[in-house]
Amino acid sequence: MHIWRINRYAADDPDKDAVTHVFVLVVWMGIGADRRVISDDIEFTNLQHCIAYAQMIVMRFGYQTPKDRALAYCVPKRVTPEA
């Protein structure tokens, strides 16, 4: 798999304006008004990896209560790589 990349070149510094796309794994717990964000700071460069982690995180075994329900999304985000 490859990283999605958009390169925009400035006249004097071609690397200054490079933008990379990553996928942020966002995880919520609970339902309705009790829903809360548990995590929104895990970044992946590969969408398949993000989806695999999302699937594993929301797996539950046994009897659930509504407060134990989990929901996970892989949200695309544009970031500027640090030099």
Side-chain angles (χ1 to χ4, degrees), residues 3-9 14 17-21 78-79 81:
I3 299 171
W4 292 2
R5 227 174 242 287
I6 297 175
N7 291 317
R8 297 182 188 143
Y9 297 104
D17 293 332
V19 175
T20 300
H21 286 82
R78 290 170 47 167
V79 296

Side-chain angles (χ1 to χ4, degrees), residues 3 5 7-8 13 16 18-19 22-24 26 28-29 33 36-37 43 50-52 62 67 69-70 77 79 81:
I3 299 171
R5 227 174 242 287
N7 291 317
R8 297 182 188 143
D13 188 4
K16 182 180 178 184
V19 175
V22 297
F23 299 94
V24 178
V26 180
W28 287 275
M29 290 290 288
R36 60 207 179 277
V37 174
E43 295 179 351
C50 185
I51 291 171
K67 68 177 182 165
R69 294 197 181 152
K77 178 180 173 184
V79 296

